Amino acid sequence: MMNKILVANRGEIAVRVINAAHQLGYQTVAVFSEADRAALHVSLADQAVFIGAANSRDSYLNISVVINAAKKVEADAIHPGYGFLAENADFAKACEEAGLIFIGPSSEAIHMMGNKAQAKDCMEVAGVPCIPGYRGNDQQLSTLQQQAAAIGFPVYIKAALGGGGRGMRQVMFTEELPAAIESAKSEAKSAVGDDQLILEKAITNGRHIEFQVLADRQGHTIHLGERDCSLQRRHQKVIEETPSPAVNDILRQRMGKVAVEAAKAIGYIGAGTVEFLLAESGEFYFLEMNTRLQVEHPVTEMVTGIDLVKWQLKIADGQSLTIQQQDILMTGHAIEARLYAEDPDQQFLPQTGDIKLCQFPKIEGVRYDRGVKTGQTVSAYYDPMLAKIIGTGETREEARRRLIRALQQTVLLGPITNRQFLVELLQSSVFIAGKAHCQFIEQQFFNKTEPVSERDKIGNSQLIALAAISVTLLMNNNYSHQHQGWRNSGLASGYCRLKADNNSVFSCKLQKLSHPFYQVVIDDMPAIDLNIVSIDDHQWRYSIEGIVNTAYVLVEQGQVFISNQAQQIRLTQLGFESVQELEQAHNNVSAPISGCVVKVLVDTNQTVAKGDKLVVIEAMKMEHVVVAPLSGTIDKVYVASGQQVSAGTLLIDIHPS
């Protein structure tokens, strides 16, 4: 019998499990690393146990430490969430041996499905269709090259263990294979501790369709319909929905039947997901089985009315399913967007830093699963996902509109997020038509070359003007540092320089015209006449040309954070000497993110061209390549392989050619 549950995870999933457990009357225990002392999940649990250093290998991935934490507080069970130890068969077995209930499938089932090669062999025996590929133990480069040639390009390289896109590479041509294999092995080893790879035929323009299964200890197994997870960047999902626009009732029955058979073939218990690739031809192939709860599980809950986390807990406590397959009804539509701390304009590079302000609006038909709060730090140690926002409706279009509105009104000042990118995806004609496939983001957004529209330029200039006013008011003591109000005393006029994250510098001249109007001239742009309607804490109401808008503004330690419905920008106030330093710094290459230097690819005196690879940095279990911003000769290399660096650390000097 379960009474106290330890949640061996962090972030929004820890919050989700803790809330569900409390609703069923269970006591909860959170675990936290050095980096998560002030995290939201820690404050919500009945008890919390410190488990080690910020590095996940020393805390959330340390099996003995987590087991000892459960024993220390006399917990009866452990919920692994997803990620970290959720699909670690050794962890499930350690829980069993310690007399703890593991809220998930058996260690044998996890082991069988945890290795992609082994899982596909098992599924083929069960009659489940699989993508052609190579899953052998011979991992020599020559063997992998031969097998790739036999499969035919393009091919996918995948880590045999783990998921989330770690170790996954698409290779188009033979000559790209060696470098891709080396990089995939390195990333897989770091993420899951094993560098074994498999090769698969790349099926272009396919859709990622997964089926939610639920099975109890009494032998009952059902599916709860499909989720379409085709919108992905870096092979990681960003938007998911149910039902899929590409799946009709007949196909749903076929795929659902196969998913249930796959779960039964391994004696599965609990909540799990069987993932398929749906080709344009209508054929579908087994990808893998996730032996855990999925990040995107809320969309299934919203259309079926079934709480998957609560059922995980009930099944672990020995209860049998009270619902049959014929009882499952999918009503309405649900779409989920993952809010990440990442910069879409820099190939989705993860972002770190303190969350200065975090607000999620209350909107009918919208659900928020979040793991952050104001004042919390987003570190380089963990996945950069901040929250999941789920829009629901009677129709797909209603769910889409609600989700867009929720995203536009979400305020998160601090690290750059992908909020506006998500809105662009949801507003794209391809998504509206229900035609998005797995390569859509890569094809449409990774190589965007069209110039910034005049509308975007105007929007940016308006926010920069607002930033200039906020800085000037603060300098003239007309706008309190605590942001509790605004006083209209004295002449507010001045001159300031502001630097954006892309190193663009804006020279701003400001003059107060008459209460409460200001005129701002940015560089050589036309003057902007801006009326400050009101300032309420961080919320500014302002009007330009008779149109009133709202923005959230925060000025702190020489930085200005601004967000409105359309944009989010971060600016740094510069002195005159700082501008000169900035111009000189264009020849310096700094770390874009905190992490570990995996490899330095250049030497002193080496000639490089703009775009050449310089350094590989590992952060958040992914490898990020730093490239040359200009052509020239390497003057100096400041770092070495294995070195830990912070964001902004000087890596390399380049003498321009």
Side-chain angles (χ1 to χ4, degrees), residues 401-596:
R401 288 197 308 266
R402 283 175 168 172
L403 180 54
I404 290 173
R405 179 169 173 76
L407 284 164
Q408 290 176 332
Q409 295 196 6
T410 292
V411 179
L412 202 147
L413 300 182
I416 296 296
T417 73
N418 67 334
R419 186 195 67 164
Q420 188 55 28
F421 173 72
L422 294 170
V423 172
E424 287 184 38
L425 282 178
L426 293 166
Q427 291 178 334
S428 68
S429 59
V430 174
F431 181 82
I432 293 172
K435 302 295 185 181
H437 51 74
C438 294
Q439 281 77 45
F440 174 67
I441 291 179
E442 183 177 351
Q443 293 173 0
Q444 300 296 319
F445 289 89
F446 267 38
N447 299 311
K448 288 176 68 175
T449 56
E450 58 268 24
V452 177
S453 69
E454 288 302 314
R455 180 179 176 183
D456 287 342
K457 287 180 182 177
I458 293 171
N460 257 324
S461 63
Q462 290 181 3
L463 290 188
I464 292 165
L466 204 61
I469 293 173
S470 68
V471 167
T472 306
L473 287 177
L474 183 60
M475 290 174 64
N476 285 275
N477 297 317
N478 289 351
Y479 169 45
S480 73
H481 189 66
Q482 288 75 30
H483 308 287
Q484 295 303 313
W486 167 55
R487 294 184 291 108
N488 182 42
S489 61
L491 178 64
S493 62
Y495 178 77
C496 66
R497 288 178 182 266
L498 301 170
K499 177 178 76 73
D501 285 341
N502 64 1
N503 283 338
S504 298
V505 176
F506 304 95
S507 299
C508 306
K509 296 177 183 178
L510 179 144
Q511 181 67 45
K512 184 175 180 181
L513 301 178
S514 62
H515 174 64
F517 290 91
Y518 292 84
Q519 185 177 84
V520 182
V521 177
I522 304 169
D523 297 325
D524 56 355
M525 297 181 190
I528 298 173
D529 291 337
L530 192 149
N531 171 21
I532 302 295
V533 178
S534 65
I535 300 177
D536 182 11
D537 199 3
H538 299 289
Q539 186 184 74
W540 289 49
R541 297 275 288 171
Y542 65 97
S543 70
I544 297 176
E545 297 181 355
I547 300 175
V548 180
N549 285 298
T550 301
Y552 287 82
V553 184
L554 187 149
V555 183
E556 183 176 291
Q557 297 177 341
Q559 286 193 308
V560 188
F561 303 88
I562 294 192
S563 175
N564 64 9
Q565 285 194 7
Q567 292 171 312
Q568 173 189 357
I569 61 175
R570 179 174 56 194
L571 300 161
T572 302
Q573 187 177 0
L574 297 176
F576 297 107
E577 68 284 350
S578 298
V579 176
Q580 295 172 355
E581 292 171 3
L582 178 69
E583 292 170 352
Q584 295 170 358
H586 284 169
N587 302 338
N588 301 332
V589 180
S590 301
I593 189 171
S594 300
C596 178

Side-chain angles (χ1 to χ4, degrees), residues 207-242:
R207 300 180 76 127
H208 186 122
I209 307 294
E210 60 186 31
F211 271 73
Q212 177 69 57
V213 295
L214 204 56
D216 61 21
R217 298 180 183 277
Q218 290 74 30
H220 307 124
T221 305
I222 60 173
H223 74 82
L224 280 68
E226 82 284 356
R227 297 185 287 257
D228 194 320
C229 309
S230 301
L231 281 170
Q232 305 176 6
R233 55 61 180 138
R234 294 202 313 257
H235 308 297
Q236 291 181 307
K237 306 161 188 172
V238 287
I239 289 179
E240 305 99 348
E241 64 178 310
T242 187

Side-chain angles (χ1 to χ4, degrees), residues 619-636:
M620 298 176 179
K621 303 302 180 187
M622 301 288 284
E623 289 190 351
H624 308 278
V625 179
V626 180
V627 301
L630 73 167
S631 299
T633 304
I634 304 298
D635 264 351
K636 191 169 183 178

